[in-house]
Amino acid sequence: MAGDEGAEIYEEREESMDAAVDKETEIKTEGKEDENVLQFLDSLDGYLTLMDSVNSKLREGWFDLASARHSMGTLRINSTLLDLKYHPAASTFQVTDQEVGSLGSVPRFALSKWVSKGGGSPKGKDFSTDTDSEIGSPLSQQLRHRGVSEKPSAKDENTLAADEEIKKERAKSLSVFGGLVSPKLRGAQLSFETALETLVEIANMRASMLSAFERITEK
Amino acid sequence: MYGFEALTFNIHGGYLEAIVRGHRAGLLTTADYNNLCQCENLDDIKMHLSATKYGSYLQNEPSPLHTTTIVEKCTLKLVDDYKHMLCQATEPMSTFLEYIRYGHMIDNVVLIVTGTLHERDVQELLEKCHPLGMFDSIATLAVAQNMRELYRLVLVDTPLAPYFSECLTSEDLDDMNIEIMRNTLYKAYLEDFYKFCQKLGGATSEIMSDLLAFEADRRAVNITINSIGTELTREDRKKLYSNFGLLYPYGHEELAICEDIDQVRGVMEKYPPYQAIFSKMSYGESQMLDKAFYEEEVRRLCLAFEQQFHYAVFFAYMRLREQEIRNLMWISECVAQNQKSRIHDSVVYMF
């Protein structure tokens, strides 16, 4: 009799322990689902904001191009002046697969602008556009440094030299329209350049959004 | 007080002056521009232009229209007016009218040479050339590798030949050399036109000197602003400025060393006629500079019609038509891009 009661108590305890474990697991699962939903909604918000931004930049670019045509004349800015000779691309685009925590494998898009036109190591600054490299992002793999860096002047010099190279590459791209172009044409170039960067960010945002959506819908 | 143009001008120039004043009356007014600014699409613009002198040129164009089509057809109207006047003109008016074409010839030469450098098809380039700047051997420009060949093979038999004396080098043509060639040719052309008008004397000389001096000064400012931050050196920049005008020579000395728009403003504000232009813009801004210069040019061109018995009315009419076409192009672009709020940024009203 005492043994039966003991067994019953043991079974009750086991059942209550199992129930507690199940409840804890359920809470953890719900928490993870909430995290996925929040991630999806954040990505969606970022995606819509970026789409708005790229539309605005493209409108600005086309308008600046029309302004430049008005200023310099239709003979100086038209499609017949574009260079048909073979030449390396001023910007390149890479796609890689990246393992990102809870999101699994996500395609990552990176843009390298104004790389060397002659091949070999890039002379210009490599503007890899990748949302993971944004400072402050929870997925950022950049280390945070506190205090003053050891060689600020060397870094500044390198930055200045890189900026000069980029300026030359930009001018070289515009030289199809002549050596002396209106500031409006340069403004149009910058607008389209920014739009290109935004498009790459949109691609990355869309990839993480779709991945988060898959996580939500899988059972 | 001039010579006795009133006694003799009408013998050879009276008919054409009457014609050009009639053409001037056909220029678009502020009411026309207001109607055009209300258009929703390019077909609306075509409909509004059908009631103007451009109507017959646009009526057969199929939809959907493009802004370049509107500009091309309106330019044909300008070309027809010019050719009618040229074929009726006698010396020295015919030479004066020929001078108006040379600027377009320079632009066409540069277009063909640049396009050839970029391996474009010559036929495609010829279609884009300005009709006023066409000449017989223009297609042969595509075979030249440097400026010496350009001159020897083609341009030696054209009116541009005298302007090449400062450009003749054996350097291969590249984008910067072509740009320097363009500006050097235009400088030589303006100086030659200026001397020709001075020889004519009378009201023609006085009014054209003012208009050409303004053109030279505006070119100097544009060259300065466009060369900021480029590889063009100060000495090369100064060589591109014309040797006449209000800014010559001291203004040119100061413009040659400018490194930003505010320094350009500082130079120009010392000259009262240009102080008014730059006062319309805020510091660091260059967006409205083009419009300000166009407005000043239109004001001077309209004043040319206040006097009679001179050739400057022909030059003024051609320039006013070109400005009108520029306005139409701008309005069309703003309507096509759904940016109607920005139309008034660059439209220059004449009357």
Side-chain angles (χ1 to χ4, degrees):
Chain A
M1 287 297 178
D4 288 341
E5 282 179 6
E8 276 180 16
I9 292 168
Y10 179 73
E11 278 176 11
E12 278 176 12
R13 274 193 194 160
E14 273 210 1
E15 278 174 12
S16 68
M17 274 176 67
D18 284 344
V21 166
D22 285 343
K23 197 170 181 186
E24 197 180 321
T25 311
E26 196 182 315
I27 289 170
K28 277 187 184 170
T29 309
E30 277 179 9
K32 200 173 175 186
E33 283 176 1
D34 286 346
E35 192 187 309
N36 286 339
V37 169
L38 280 173
Q39 216 153 37
F40 171 73
L41 291 174
D42 277 342
S43 301
L44 182 62
D45 180 57
Y47 177 79
L48 292 173
T49 308
L50 287 171
M51 285 295 287
D52 200 40
S53 168
V54 80
N55 283 333
S56 161
K57 270 295 162 191
L58 284 173
R59 255 170 81 83
E60 196 181 310
W62 284 116
F63 189 78
D64 285 343
L65 188 62
S67 297
R69 198 183 289 127
H70 178 265
S71 170
M72 293 169 63
T74 50
L75 277 186
R76 290 204 58 188
I77 298 186
N78 60 73
S79 55
T80 52
L81 290 172
L82 297 175
D83 201 343
L84 286 184
K85 283 190 291 199
Y86 281 111
H87 54 273
S91 300
T92 57
F93 182 69
Q94 296 99 33
V95 184
T96 51
D97 276 323
Q98 195 174 346
E99 292 292 328
V100 182
S102 59
L103 299 179
S105 172
V106 176
R108 282 293 161 204
F109 306 93
L111 179 72
S112 299
K113 293 192 308 182
W114 309 120
V115 294
S116 166
K117 295 209 169 187
S121 59
K123 285 182 196 169
K125 208 171 181 177
D126 185 346
F127 283 101
S128 291
T129 305
D130 188 335
T131 52
D132 281 356
S133 64
E134 284 174 6
I135 294 172
S137 162
L139 303 170
S140 170
Q141 296 180 9
Q142 285 186 345
L143 295 175
R144 296 182 194 181
H145 294 277
R146 293 187 185 219
V148 181
S149 59
E150 288 177 3
K151 292 180 184 177
S153 58
K155 193 178 171 189
D156 287 343
E157 277 174 17
N158 286 341
T159 311
L160 279 172
D163 285 344
E164 278 301 312
E165 280 295 322
I166 290 164
K167 222 171 154 184
K168 280 184 193 167
E169 293 292 332
R170 280 201 183 111
K172 209 168 170 183
S173 289
L174 279 186
S175 64
V176 290
F177 299 114
L180 303 177
V181 296
S182 165
K184 290 172 187 172
L185 192 63
R186 296 198 189 112
Q189 185 188 39
L190 281 174
S191 297
F192 287 129
E193 200 178 308
T194 311
L196 183 61
E197 287 171 27
T198 313
L199 280 170
V200 174
E201 284 181 47
I202 286 174
N204 283 325
M205 191 64 72
R206 187 180 155 87
S208 57
M209 187 176 75
L210 289 173
S211 183
F213 184 71
E214 275 175 22
R215 289 278 162 199
I216 293 169
T217 51
E218 77 180 6
K219 297 287 181 187
Chain B
M1 187 65 185
Y2 305 118
F4 297 94
E5 289 102 350
L7 292 179
T8 56
F9 185 89
N10 280 347
I11 299 168
H12 297 291
Y15 166 68
L16 284 177
E17 185 176 350
I19 291 287
V20 83
R21 286 184 184 271
H23 285 322
R24 179 230 190 228
L27 289 168
L28 297 179
T29 60
T30 309
D32 292 321
Y33 285 120
N34 287 337
N35 288 338
L36 288 168
C37 293
Q38 308 290 329
C39 293
E40 291 295 323
N41 52 49
L42 295 182
D43 288 321
D44 279 351
I45 289 180
K46 176 183 160 184
M47 188 189 70
H48 278 98
L49 288 177
S50 64
T52 68
K53 302 283 184 184
Y54 296 113
S56 56
Y57 293 88
L58 283 169
Q59 65 186 9
N60 293 327
E61 289 306 309
S63 297
L65 271 182
H66 196 269
T67 51
T68 48
T69 311
I70 293 177
V71 171
E72 277 169 20
K73 296 303 167 190
C74 293
T75 305
L76 288 181
K77 154 77 178 153
L78 171 71
V79 172
D80 286 346
D81 289 348
Y82 175 83
K83 284 182 176 167
H84 172 73
M85 291 190 294
L86 184 65
C87 72
Q88 301 283 338
T90 57
E91 286 291 342
M93 192 195 292
S94 55
T95 303
F96 181 89
L97 290 174
E98 286 282 357
Y99 266 102
I100 297 175
R101 287 183 56 209
Y102 295 167
H104 296 295
M105 286 171 72
I106 292 170
D107 289 339
N108 284 352
V109 166
V110 173
L111 174 70
I112 300 281
V113 169
T114 307
T116 307
L117 185 70
H118 298 158
E119 294 185 5
R120 305 297 301 217
D121 180 47
V122 174
Q123 275 310 119
E124 193 186 4
L125 295 169
L126 288 173
E127 282 168 19
K128 284 288 179 184
C129 287
H130 197 289
L132 281 181
M134 296 300 277
F135 51 93
D136 289 336
S137 50
I138 191 170
T140 331
L141 287 167
V143 303
Q145 299 294 321
N146 56 52
M147 289 180 223
R148 207 173 284 278
E149 278 184 19
L150 208 61
Y151 174 77
R152 192 173 54 83
L153 294 175
V154 186
L155 298 173
V156 66
D157 294 321
T158 67
L160 301 182
Y163 307 145
F164 262 80
S165 58
E166 291 185 40
C167 299
L168 280 179
T169 65
S170 299
E171 284 179 35
D172 278 350
L173 294 163
D174 64 23
D175 291 317
M176 189 44 101
N177 286 345
I178 291 172
E179 188 67 34
I180 291 175
M181 179 183 79
R182 180 211 308 273
N183 285 288
T184 308
L185 286 177
Y186 208 88
K187 170 190 169 183
Y189 152 65
L190 272 187
E191 287 172 3
D192 189 33
F193 196 6
Y194 184 79
K195 283 179 197 152
F196 175 75
C197 293
Q198 300 261 292
K199 268 194 252 175
L200 291 175
T204 301
S205 169
E206 182 178 334
I207 298 169
M208 283 304 297
S209 295
D210 177 61
L211 293 174
L212 291 176
F214 179 79
E215 175 72 15
D217 292 340
R218 182 174 61 177
R219 278 193 68 250
V221 171
N222 283 337
I223 287 169
T224 308
I225 291 174
N226 292 349
S227 61
I228 289 170
T230 67
E231 57 189 28
L232 193 71
T233 62
R234 290 175 178 181
E235 288 72 32
D236 286 340
R237 187 196 282 180
K238 199 173 158 198
K239 280 184 201 167
L240 300 180
Y241 299 149
S242 301
N243 293 330
F244 67 99
L246 191 60
L247 296 176
Y248 173 77
Y250 305 112
H252 289 172
E253 297 280 345
E254 293 183 57
L255 279 178
I257 59 174
C258 288
E259 296 295 337
D260 60 51
I261 185 72
D262 288 329
Q263 288 179 11
V264 172
R265 172 197 281 271
V267 171
M268 299 302 287
E269 281 182 340
K270 293 176 191 167
Y271 299 87
Y274 303 123
Q275 193 179 28
I277 292 174
F278 280 81
S279 65
K280 292 179 191 174
M281 295 163 19
S282 51
Y283 280 91
E285 182 207 353
S286 65
Q287 301 291 327
M288 304 304 287
L289 184 61
D290 284 328
K291 183 179 178 186
F293 268 117
Y294 284 137
E295 282 174 342
E296 176 64 18
E297 185 189 20
V298 163
R299 188 188 69 80
R300 293 179 188 222
L301 292 170
C302 290
L303 282 177
F305 286 91
E306 299 300 313
Q307 285 191 52
Q308 280 185 278
F309 314 126
H310 62 87
Y311 297 155
V313 286
F314 300 98
F315 178 83
Y317 169 69
M318 295 295 289
R319 283 298 173 100
L320 286 172
R321 265 292 174 210
E322 285 170 8
Q323 180 60 46
E324 186 174 270
I325 292 170
R326 216 176 287 128
N327 285 343
L328 288 173
M329 187 209 78
W330 179 252
I331 293 171
S332 305
E333 285 282 356
C334 289
V335 166
Q337 293 187 26
N338 202 17
Q339 296 259 28
K340 281 165 55 174
S341 58
R342 306 287 298 271
I343 281 182
H344 297 286
D345 284 1
S346 291
V347 170
V348 177
Y349 299 100
M350 292 173 206
F351 307 112

